[in-house]
Structures are given as C-alpha cells and as structure tokens.
C-alpha cells in the first residue's frame, strides 16, 4: 500500500469525529515515524484546512517529527517528581551509554510520579529506574 492510500485510511478511520486533527496526526506519527510536508498537505486537503493550520499544530507539539528518528527514542521524564528521585543525575549518567543506541528526549510526566524516575521506549513505560536498569534497557535496544 502506498503512503497516500494509507493516509486516506487513517483519515477515514477518524471520519465523523469532532476535532480529528490531533488523533490523525498521532496515527500518522505512529505509522510513519514522522509527519512530513507531504502528509501535512494531504491532511490539510482531506480535512479542508490550510496547510498552515496543520503545520501550526504539528510544530506546537514536539512529539511530532518532520523526519523519522534514525535511532529508537527513549523518553526520560524530567518532571519535578522524577527530578526529586534522581532523574537529572540519571540523565547525565546514561548520556554516554545512549550515545549511539538511542535518542534521549525529555518528557514532563509519564504519569508514574510515585515510582520514578521513569522512561518510555515505544509504548512501554519503565519505572523505578537507576543507572544500571536504564543502561540495561539502552543496551537491549
């Protein structure tokens, strides 16, 4: 299936939904790893929006990428609760281990504040992390 046909399927899956732009963008990001210019233009036409309106939403949310990541993405929580549990030191300590294995992105809450520091790889959330646990996770990528 070509990309245009898949974009049409994603749009059709949200037909009749109020405010479909954000869920459609999430599905496009999940499917292709990015929301590129062609997808923005296709989506704008399909939803009767301007390309600028679609671009404005895409550029507002940092989770939407214009090109797919070359490495797996590890989202490390940097919110206050995880900071209080050593998240900042953890980020500094694992930077070298992650260098060629994954991209580390900061996120500001994964919803597991009582068991931080937390990280998310793909759809999997990992809690109670320390340097050893996070290093093992990175090495398994």
């Amino acid at each position: 299936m070509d990309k245009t046909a898949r974009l049409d399927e994603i749009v059709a899956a949200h037909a009749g939904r109020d405010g479909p732009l954000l869920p459609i963008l999430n599905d496009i990001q999940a499917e292709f790893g990015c929301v590129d210019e062609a997808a923005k233009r296709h989506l704008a036409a399909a939803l009767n929006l301007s390309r600028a309106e679609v671009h404005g939403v895409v550029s507002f949310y940092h989770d939407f990428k214009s090109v797919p990541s070359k490495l797996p993405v590890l989202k490390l929580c940097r919110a206050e609760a995880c900071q209080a549990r050593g998240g900042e030191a953890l980020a500094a300590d694992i930077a070298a281990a992650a260098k060629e294995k994954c991209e580390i992105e900061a996120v500001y809450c994964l919803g597991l504040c009582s068991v931080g520091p937390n990280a998310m790889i793909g759809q999997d959330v990992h809690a109670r992390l320390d340097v050893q646990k996070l290093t093992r996770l990175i090495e398994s990528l």
Side-chain angles (χ1 to χ4, degrees), residues 111-123:
L112 298 169
C113 299
S114 64
V115 290
N118 305 305
M120 188 163 118
I121 302 171
Q123 297 297 314

Side-chain angles (χ1 to χ4, degrees), residues 33-141:
C34 68
V35 181
D36 62 13
E37 187 60 33
K40 289 180 204 172
R41 290 186 186 282
H42 188 88
L43 187 53
L47 297 178
N48 196 26
L49 299 170
S50 71
R51 191 208 64 80
E53 289 172 303
V54 175
H55 176 76
V57 173
V58 170
S59 62
F60 180 80
Y61 294 101
H62 68 268
D63 275 347
F64 297 127
K65 309 291 183 204
S66 59
V67 294
S69 297
K70 293 180 180 173
L71 297 172
V73 176
L74 183 146
K75 295 180 179 184
L76 186 62
C77 185
R78 297 290 196 48
E80 289 80 5
C82 284
Q83 284 183 27
R85 294 175 174 267
E88 287 301 312
L90 182 61
D93 290 343
I94 54 104
K99 201 170 191 174
E100 295 180 9
K101 294 289 252 176
C102 66
E103 292 180 22
I104 297 177
E105 290 183 0
V107 293
Y108 294 93
C109 196
L110 293 171
L112 298 169
C113 299
S114 64
V115 290
N118 305 305
M120 188 163 118
I121 302 171
Q123 297 297 314
D124 298 325
V125 179
H126 304 272
R128 301 182 196 274
L129 294 172
D130 57 22
V131 172
Q132 292 79 23
K133 288 178 183 173
L134 193 51
T135 300
R136 280 195 303 268
L137 275 174
I138 290 169
E139 288 172 354
S140 71
L141 296 174

